[in-house]
Amino acid sequence: MASSILVVSTDPQGSTVWWADRVGIALPFDFATAHDDPGSLKYLKDTGAQIHVICNQKGGVGKTTTTVNLAAVTQEVLGDSDQRLHIFVDTPGSLENEHILMAALDVADDVLVPLPPEPLAFDPTARTIEQVILPRELPYKVVVNNWDPRDGKADRDETIEYIEAQGWPRANTVIRRYKIHTRAAAEGKVVTQYPDSGTTLRAREDYFKLALEQGYGGTR
Ligand SMILES: Nc1ncnc2c1ncn2[C@@H]1O[C@H](COP(=O)(O)OP(=O)(O)OP(=O)(O)O)[C@@H](O)[C@H]1O
Ligand SMILES: [Mg+2]
């Protein structure tokens, strides 16, 4: 029996490198890097696992946070397995590494696009969807991430309206902003490893809801 979940980091820059440096840390899923050799991503297909690519060429929208936490809750639901069941691929948040994103999308079964409730992120997100995802006819969903309920519902609702006006499919689950996510990332921890508290439960719930909505728990 081994971990049913693999996270693959393909981002040669930024926060994922930080995660990649901590491969030795006690993560609840397997972790691999493919920064230097995006061509190796094609071998992921041989595992028979469902491959989920998390992408948005706008930086800092929550790709890495979504990837590792969705992987963590899916591992918790499915437990260990003889087979690899799901692979989550984190991708670069920059246009210059588009070839890496392309290699990831070549093996994708589906795509998740995190989008924060910030109008500045809207146009770059539209570019990724229209120029990179739609031409491949891959199933995809936009997921609103990093919404702070204390800011009121207007930001969230305007973002949802924008997504719907574009005609993009959207995850019903909205990932809320919790400082604990930012803090935990600095410690190399994922949502299932946070010390129990009311906030932890709510923070976890968002990812469990998203995993359930995506059907990640139902293939055991
Ligand atoms: N739901 C959230 N709650 C709190 N903080 C968040 C949330 N989502 C993302 N963040 C924080 O926002 C910052 C950017 O997130 P993250 O690194 O996941 O984005 P990214 O899209 O992977 O960035 P890059 O394009 O640089 O790879 C990080 O500090 C992260 O901790
Ligand atoms: Mg990242």
Side-chain angles (χ1 to χ4, degrees), residues 6-150:
L6 171 67
V7 168
V8 180
S9 160
T10 66
D11 186 359
Q13 293 178 327
S15 53
T16 334
V17 173
W18 188 94
W19 278 97
D21 285 345
R22 279 157 184 76
V23 174
I25 228 164
L27 288 168
F29 41 73
D30 288 338
F31 189 100
T33 60
H35 318 143
D36 301 330
D37 185 13
S40 67
L41 290 170
K42 61 176 180 283
Y43 299 112
L44 296 178
K45 277 280 183 200
D46 300 339
T47 62
Q50 287 181 41
I51 302 175
H52 316 292
V53 169
I54 293 77
C55 76
N56 190 331
Q57 290 169 300
K58 166 83 177 151
V61 296
K63 293 178 289 294
T64 304
T65 306
T66 304
T67 303
V68 296
N69 288 318
L70 207 46
V73 298
T74 307
Q75 172 69 38
E76 180 124 327
V77 171
L78 295 176
D80 287 345
S81 167
D82 296 333
Q83 282 166 283
R84 195 71 85 191
L85 299 175
H86 295 273
I87 299 174
F88 294 87
V89 184
D90 187 19
T91 60
S94 70
L95 292 174
E96 75 195 81
N97 290 306
E98 193 164 74
H99 65 288
I100 300 182
L101 173 56
M102 294 299 188
L105 292 173
D106 280 347
V107 298
D109 290 304
D110 57 45
V111 180
L112 267 181
V113 183
L115 175 64
E118 294 163 15
L120 274 180
F122 292 180
D123 282 353
T125 302
R127 184 201 180 275
T128 299
I129 292 175
E130 285 157 15
Q131 301 201 14
V132 183
I133 301 174
L134 286 180
R136 289 168 181 266
E137 299 182 0
L138 284 165
Y140 75 97
K141 271 188 199 169
V142 178
V143 55
V144 178
N145 172 55
N146 215 3
W147 170 60
D148 191 338
R150 290 170 305 183

